[in-house]
Amino acid sequence: MSIHSVTQNNAITLTKKESKLTTRNVVVRGWFLPVLVLILWQILGSVGILPAQLFSSPLLIVIRSNELIQSGELAKHLQISLTRAFLGFTIGGGFGLLIGVIVGMKKRAEEYLNPSIQMLRTVPLLVITPLFIMWFGFGELSKVLLIALGAFFPLYLQTFLGIRNVDKKLYEVAQILEYNRLEQITKLMIPASLPNILLGIRLSLSAAWMCLVVAELLGADKGIGFMIQDARSFMQTDTVFVGIIIFALAGKISDSIVRFLENRLLKWQDSFKA
C-alpha cells in the first residue's frame, strides 16, 4: 500500500471521528438545559418548595406515566390523537401545497384567491372553533377539519413564496428544453422551492399539533387533550404533565423527521453554518 493511500485512509478515519464527536457534542448540549431543569425541579419538589398539588415532581410524573402505560389508557388516547393529527395535516397540508403551486404559477389565480386566503389567515382559530362545532358537531369531522385549517396556511404561504422566488433564468431554460406544464412543476418549481416547502411542512406540523390541543380541549371524549382536561378536573397534576410531555415529544419527533429530510434533500445548498 502506498504512502498516499495510507494518508488518505487516515484522513477519512479522522474525519469520521470528528463527525461523531461533533454529533455527540450537539446531543449533549441539546440535553443540557432540559436535564438541568429536571434536576432542579426534582430537588425543589423533594424539599417541599414546589407543592406536589401544583407541580408534580419528575419522579411522580414518571410513576404516573408508567401506570398509564400499564393500564393501556395512554396508548388508547395517543392513537386517537395521532390519527386526528395525521388526517388533519394530510388534508390541510395537501391542499396548502396544491393551492400554493397554483397561485404561485398563475397571476390570475393569485388575484382571485390570495386576498381571501390572506384575510382568513389572520382570523384566530379559537374564533372559528365554535362555528365548526355548530356546523359539524362534536364528532371527529370538526376536529380533523380544524386541524386541517391550521395546517393549510403555513404550507400554502411557503409554497407560494418558494415558487415566486424561483430564478427567472430557470424558467427560460425550461422553455428552451420545451418542458410542458407538468414537467415545469415536477422538475423545476418543486425542486427549486423545496427549502420553502420543507419549512412550510415544519410550520404546518406545529400548527397541526396546536390545533389538535385546541380541538381536544374544547370538545372530546378521547385523546390526549381529553386526558389532560379530565385530569385537570380532578386536580391530577401528574397526569396533566404527562399529557403535556406527550405533545412536546410528538411535536419534537415530527419536527426532527422533517429536519432530517432537509439535511438529506438539501445537501446541494451552500448555506451558512454558525
Side-chain angles (χ1 to χ4, degrees):
M1 185 179 292
S2 65
I3 296 175
H4 177 71
S5 299
V6 172
T7 306
Q8 191 174 15
N9 289 335
N10 289 337
I12 293 172
T13 304
L14 285 173
T15 303
K16 289 181 179 179
K17 288 181 179 179
E18 289 174 358
S19 178
K20 288 180 180 179
L21 286 172
T22 302
T23 304
R24 191 181 304 165
N25 289 337
V26 169
V27 172
V28 170
R29 289 166 188 164
W31 278 100
F32 174 76
L33 184 59
V35 170
L36 180 62
V37 170
L38 287 174
I39 292 172
L40 291 175
W41 186 0
Q42 182 63 46
I43 292 172
L44 293 175
S46 299
V47 299
I49 296 177
L50 293 178
Q53 191 70 19
L54 298 177
F55 296 93
S56 292
S57 67
L59 182 59
L60 292 176
I61 294 172
V62 170
I63 293 171
R64 180 56 181 159
S65 64
N66 185 57
E67 292 174 353
L68 291 170
I69 292 171
Q70 294 293 334
S71 66
E73 184 179 353
L74 184 60
K76 178 186 70 175
H77 290 303
L78 182 59
Q79 181 183 1
I80 293 168
S81 292
L82 288 175
T83 302
R84 289 169 178 161
F86 175 76
L87 289 175
F89 169 75
T90 302
I91 295 170
F95 274 106
L97 180 64
L98 176 63
I99 298 177
V101 170
I102 294 172
V103 174
M105 287 174 53
K106 298 286 188 178
K107 188 68 176 177
R108 187 66 60 86
E110 180 188 0
E111 293 171 354
Y112 277 106
L113 298 176
N114 192 56
S116 299
I117 293 174
Q118 295 297 341
M119 181 178 64
L120 288 173
R121 187 172 65 88
T122 61
V123 179
L125 285 174
L126 282 174
V127 176
I128 302 176
T129 303
L131 284 176
F132 273 58
I133 293 174
M134 291 169 60
W135 292 340
F136 308 110
F138 286 97
E140 293 300 310
L141 182 60
S142 62
K143 297 175 182 60
V144 171
L145 289 180
L146 184 65
I147 296 166
L149 184 63
F152 169 83
F153 295 110
L155 191 48
Y156 159 78
L157 188 61
Q158 289 298 325
T159 303
F160 169 68
L161 291 175
I163 289 176
R164 285 301 171 89
N165 288 331
V166 174
D167 193 340
K168 187 179 179 181
K169 294 178 181 177
L170 293 177
Y171 286 106
E172 295 173 357
V173 172
Q175 290 177 350
I176 293 172
L177 295 174
E178 297 182 350
Y179 281 178
N180 58 36
R181 182 61 71 182
L182 181 60
E183 288 176 327
Q184 287 182 4
I185 294 172
T186 57
K187 296 182 179 181
L188 170 64
M189 294 178 183
I190 298 297
S193 306
L194 202 55
N196 285 87
I197 291 173
L198 289 172
L199 175 59
I201 291 173
R202 290 178 64 185
L203 296 174
S204 290
L205 282 169
S206 299
W209 287 115
M210 287 189 288
C211 293
L212 174 66
V213 175
V214 173
E216 291 187 341
L217 286 178
L218 289 180
D221 56 0
K222 302 170 189 172
I224 300 296
F226 166 76
M227 186 182 76
I228 293 174
Q229 184 78 345
D230 188 58
R232 183 195 63 81
S233 303
F234 294 98
M235 292 297 291
Q236 297 173 344
T237 313
D238 48 3
T239 305
V240 173
F241 274 110
V242 171
I244 293 171
I245 292 170
I246 291 296
F247 278 126
L249 288 175
K252 175 58 179 172
I253 291 171
S254 59
D255 185 73
S256 297
I257 291 172
V258 180
R259 291 195 66 179
F260 173 77
L261 292 175
E262 284 181 346
N263 293 332
R264 300 283 293 183
L265 298 174
L266 302 180
K267 285 183 177 180
W268 51 270
Q269 271 195 323
D270 188 16
S271 57
F272 170 73
K273 291 179 176 61

